[in-house]
Amino acid sequence: MSSSGSNTSDKGGSDGRAKPENTLEQETEPFEASRLGSKDHWNNVYDREISNFNETGDIGEVWFGEDTAAKMVTWVCSNIEDASSRILDVGCGNGHLLLELAEEGYTNLVGTDYSAQAVELAKSIAKSRSADIAYFEQDFLDPQDVSRVAGEEKFDAVLDKGTYDAICLKPKDADAVSVDQSAIDMYPVSVVSSLKDSGVFLITSCNWTEEELVSRFSSHLECTGRVKHRSFQFGGAVGQTDATVAFKKRL
Ligand SMILES: C[S@@+](CC[C@H](N)C(=O)[O-])C[C@H]1O[C@@H](n2cnc3c(N)ncnc32)[C@H](O)[C@@H]1O
């Protein structure tokens, strides 16, 4: 298993993306579209990871590193008491977050990804560990797909580690440099459609600050808490490497 603290922006981590706190009004420059926002890219990534897993048993990349995944798991354990709560990890990749939650005793876990290869990998890993996790192919930007997976029951919690970051880099069309704003706008709508009225949403991003996440989702979701990450000072400003923010539905 490899830990990645990597930024999902092609701009990398060196462009000052770890921004000062209190930047609510300071909306940053939009990102340019990137291959990291395309399904072909992720299919290629998971094709390679399936081969690696079959050859070596290595489950592959843990986006943002194991500490960040552990912080999300700790948040879930502290905030979701009922182990039978229905929990969705959207854009689950290899499913490692759900594996950790299964180890903590959660029994109603669902992982989705729009990459068929990611779903295949996650299923193989879960099987190899005898973990009871349901995985489905789902494009989180397709309302029909979203309602098919959520069903009538919907979810008590939706988790995202790195998926919104990837969606924010989706090209508008094949050759476009600009991002697909309609995809970015659709994302919080899909979160709300997936959640029960009492449901919670926990997201980790490396491309957006806490304040940007709160501001971007504010018309659909209300911030209920933040998870602290390692902070550092640069040029007199304090920044965090990742941002993890919890929300509830605005009813
Ligand atoms: C940065 S990776 C994070 C993977 C995983 N959450 C993790 O933490 O290891 C982004 C994931 O989002 C998935 N993804 C991107 N756009 C998606 C969409 N529209 N619907 C569902 N999954 C999507 C990609 O296939 C990829 O697995």
Side-chain angles (χ1 to χ4, degrees):
M1 167 160 61
S2 57
S3 269
S4 166
S6 55
N7 192 302
T8 46
S9 164
D10 269 1
K11 292 179 176 181
S14 58
D15 66 343
R17 290 299 303 163
K19 292 166 287 303
E21 287 176 341
N22 306 319
T23 52
L24 193 55
E25 305 87 343
Q26 188 186 319
E27 188 69 10
T28 49
E29 300 272 313
F31 284 108
E32 284 185 0
S34 150
R35 70 190 196 291
L36 295 175
S38 87
K39 194 171 176 178
D40 280 351
H41 167 77
W42 292 109
N43 285 342
N44 289 334
V45 166
Y46 293 116
D47 263 336
R48 275 198 309 274
E49 298 215 333
I50 287 170
S51 299
N52 279 344
F53 177 68
N54 290 340
E55 280 166 29
T56 68
D58 188 322
I59 72 163
E61 192 97 1
V62 170
W63 283 89
F64 314 157
E66 287 172 39
D67 280 0
T68 295
K71 281 182 196 240
M72 290 183 78
V73 170
T74 301
W75 186 92
V76 171
C77 294
S78 312
N79 289 276
I80 302 179
E81 276 178 28
D82 182 356
S84 67
S85 298
R86 193 162 180 245
I87 299 176
L88 169 69
D89 182 15
V90 61
C92 62
N94 61 18
H96 66 90
L97 198 55
L98 294 169
L99 290 169
E100 301 282 326
L101 290 173
E103 279 191 15
E104 294 294 334
Y106 290 92
T107 55
N108 201 348
L109 300 170
V110 176
T112 62
D113 205 291
Y114 74 167
S115 162
Q117 284 86 334
V119 171
E120 185 187 331
L121 174 66
K123 280 183 176 171
S124 301
I125 296 170
K127 191 171 172 201
S128 74
R129 300 198 177 180
S130 305
D132 187 11
I133 300 169
Y135 287 107
F136 304 104
E137 230 179 290
Q138 176 202 44
D139 183 345
F140 200 58
L141 302 174
D142 176 339
Q144 280 186 335
D145 245 11
V146 168
S147 83
R148 173 180 56 82
V149 172
E152 302 251 308
E153 195 191 350
K154 302 202 176 182
F155 290 95
D156 296 290
V158 172
L159 311 178
D160 175 336
K161 182 159 68 66
T163 302
Y164 179 65
D165 286 349
I167 285 171
C168 288
L169 300 172
K170 182 173 187 251
K172 201 163 156 193
D173 47 53
D175 301 321
V177 175
S178 51
V179 293
D180 182 352
Q181 188 58 47
S182 66
I184 298 172
D185 295 342
M186 191 63 209
Y187 177 90
V189 176
S190 297
V191 172
V192 166
S193 318
S194 299
L195 283 174
K196 293 177 182 173
D197 283 351
S198 58
V200 293
F201 170 54
L202 185 72
I203 179 168
T204 295
S205 167
C206 66
N207 284 347
W208 305 108
T209 63
E210 290 175 349
E211 287 75 15
E212 284 167 337
L213 292 172
V214 170
S215 156
R216 285 175 153 250
F217 300 147
S218 64
S219 46
H220 299 87
L221 296 152
E222 189 181 331
C223 174
T224 56
R226 297 154 193 243
V227 174
K228 280 221 173 302
H229 288 278
R230 197 162 47 86
S231 63
F232 58 89
Q233 278 198 308
F234 183 76
V238 178
Q240 282 196 160
T241 45
D242 300 324
T244 300
V245 184
F247 294 87
K248 65 178 184 180
K249 260 168 115 160
R250 276 194 198 284
L251 297 175

